[in-house]
Amino acid sequence: MDNLKEPQGEHCHTNDVHARKSHHSDKMKTNLISRLNRIEGQIRGIKGLIDKDTYCDDVLNQIAAAQSALNSVGRLLLEGHMKSCVVDRIQSGDHEVLDELLVTVNKLMK
Amino acid sequence: MDNLKEPQGEHCHTNDVHARKSHHSDKMKTNLISRLNRIEGQIRGIKGLIDKDTYCDDVLNQIAAAQSALNSVGRLLLEGHMKSCVVDRIQSGDHEVLDELLVTVNKLMK
Amino acid sequence: MDNLKEPQGEHCHTNDVHARKSHHSDKMKTNLISRLNRIEGQIRGIKGLIDKDTYCDDVLNQIAAAQSALNSVGRLLLEGHMKSCVVDRIQSGDHEVLDELLVTVNKLMK
Amino acid sequence: MDNLKEPQGEHCHTNDVHARKSHHSDKMKTNLISRLNRIEGQIRGIKGLIDKDTYCDDVLNQIAAAQSALNSVGRLLLEGHMKSCVVDRIQSGDHEVLDELLVTVNKLMK
């Protein structure tokens, strides 16, 4: 694939919003996907608990666990984003990335 | 099913923790399960976005949306729990349910 | 004081919303007030930091500390509320207290 | 004032951590200080409510309001920080500022 030869983050500072891409390392991708697979399993597990009339407090604890796992994925992605695209776009003089980042951080802080 | 003939919440104030059950109405169960199905779809969608190197900020917005959907499920369950088991156990003189509830609310507040 | 002779929580299940009172023990009141005094000091400290152009990251850390201290006051009050008024009102058959509690917990969960 | 003649953010990328300073505009400073004054008033008000045995649910609502006001100060400061020091330090090649920022954002997200 040609993409792999491109300098990291090249796509981040294009003006074409739809062409913007992220380039996670294979290791990072595998990490994120396996975390999301586990979360998918947790959600399926919660459906099973509700179906079997499991005591609510136990189900609520499983929901808190899935939330915490999803938060971790968000933090990992945020870190990757800041260390690649955000840096690239700031260095190319595009400071709008910070407004975008602040909106997203505020959503995650809710 | 015999369960349906039992007074609602009967199982909540047993002393046998493992025997405790919740009794959601069929309508509530259908609502919770369909919300969880949608969340499962959102998680699968996020995996697809990461796989296709979608711009991180867009992925982070999808994660915030899944978190918000999971919060809603937590709130619905918390409401059902408080209005059935918590009330039942308090009325039968079992106030320990409040310590259990506070621990769970604190986890959900994180 | 006459109040001290009244059965605990007597005021909670009046129908006159404005007459509802909480009855914290003196120990609890002292604890809450001294925590709030400390938080007031933290807020004053943060004003001083901003006035002296202290590096933002240090100020943000002080803000996170004040938020965490305020959360703790909220949790203590929630616990006291649930173990007195909420129990009293449920035992006197007033289940509306749960809707009120859910609205408040949702605000604190934000 | 001599400070006003200095290029904005000059102090941000010194290696001497203790010498790092923020430079808020006078307008921003006034905004932040007046918000913090209001929060100080809210905290004092909450102490008064507890002292007068105000119904807990009302006190909890005042606490949620103070938390929300403190969050807003945090968001304003975070925005100012990102648009001055973070940009300056990234442009001067100091990417450590991102690790510092991520730690702080995670504390604020709690």
Side-chain angles (χ1 to χ4, degrees), chain C residues 12-104:
Chain C
C12 298
H13 42 84
T14 170
N15 286 323
D16 179 356
V17 171
H18 301 293
R20 257 180 212 135
K21 287 280 176 187
S22 288
H23 292 278
H24 302 296
S25 67
D26 284 350
K27 199 180 148 196
M28 175 65 140
K29 262 195 188 181
T30 311
N31 183 353
L32 290 169
I33 300 283
S34 84
R35 282 170 183 268
L36 287 161
N37 280 335
R38 239 174 297 143
I39 293 169
E40 222 187 306
Q42 286 176 297
I43 303 295
R44 258 196 302 272
I46 293 167
K47 284 195 292 184
L49 295 177
I50 286 169
D51 201 52
K52 285 183 295 183
D53 287 321
T54 304
Y55 184 57
C56 286
D57 189 73
D58 298 332
V59 186
L60 285 167
N61 275 286
Q62 293 305 311
I63 288 178
Q67 282 175 326
S68 161
L70 199 51
N71 275 346
S72 297
V73 171
R75 286 171 190 204
L76 273 175
L77 260 177
L78 187 65
E79 181 173 356
H81 183 49
M82 280 168 54
K83 293 190 172 170
S84 57
C85 284
V86 175
V87 165
D88 283 339
R89 287 176 64 185
I90 287 174
Q91 282 176 336
S92 73
D94 170 6
H95 292 190
E96 271 170 42
V97 68
L98 290 172
D99 290 308
E100 182 193 273
L101 181 62
L102 280 160
V103 169
T104 303

Side-chain angles (χ1 to χ4, degrees), chain D residues 13-107:
Chain D
H13 43 82
T14 170
N15 286 323
D16 179 356
V17 171
H18 302 292
R20 259 181 210 133
K21 287 279 176 188
S22 289
H23 292 277
H24 303 295
S25 67
D26 284 349
K27 200 180 146 195
M28 175 65 141
K29 262 195 188 180
T30 310
N31 183 353
L32 290 169
I33 300 283
S34 83
R35 283 168 183 268
L36 287 161
N37 280 335
R38 241 174 298 144
I39 294 169
E40 223 186 304
Q42 287 176 295
I43 303 295
R44 257 196 304 269
I46 293 167
K47 284 194 293 184
L49 295 177
I50 286 170
D51 201 50
K52 286 182 295 184
D53 287 320
T54 304
Y55 184 56
C56 285
D57 190 72
D58 299 331
V59 186
L60 286 167
N61 275 286
Q62 294 305 311
I63 287 178
Q67 281 176 326
S68 161
L70 199 51
N71 274 347
S72 297
V73 171
R75 285 169 191 206
L76 273 174
L77 258 178
L78 188 65
E79 181 174 356
H81 182 49
M82 280 167 55
K83 292 188 172 172
S84 57
C85 284
V86 174
V87 165
D88 283 338
R89 287 176 63 185
I90 287 174
Q91 283 176 335
S92 74
D94 171 7
H95 292 190
E96 272 171 40
V97 68
L98 291 172
D99 290 309
E100 184 192 271
L101 181 62
L102 280 160
V103 169
T104 303
V105 165
N106 285 344
K107 281 185 199 157

Side-chain angles (χ1 to χ4, degrees), chain A residues 6-22:
Chain A
E6 292 174 354
Q8 221 234 335
E10 176 168 284
H11 290 313
C12 297
H13 43 84
T14 170
N15 286 323
D16 178 356
V17 171
H18 301 293
R20 258 180 213 135
K21 286 281 177 185
S22 289

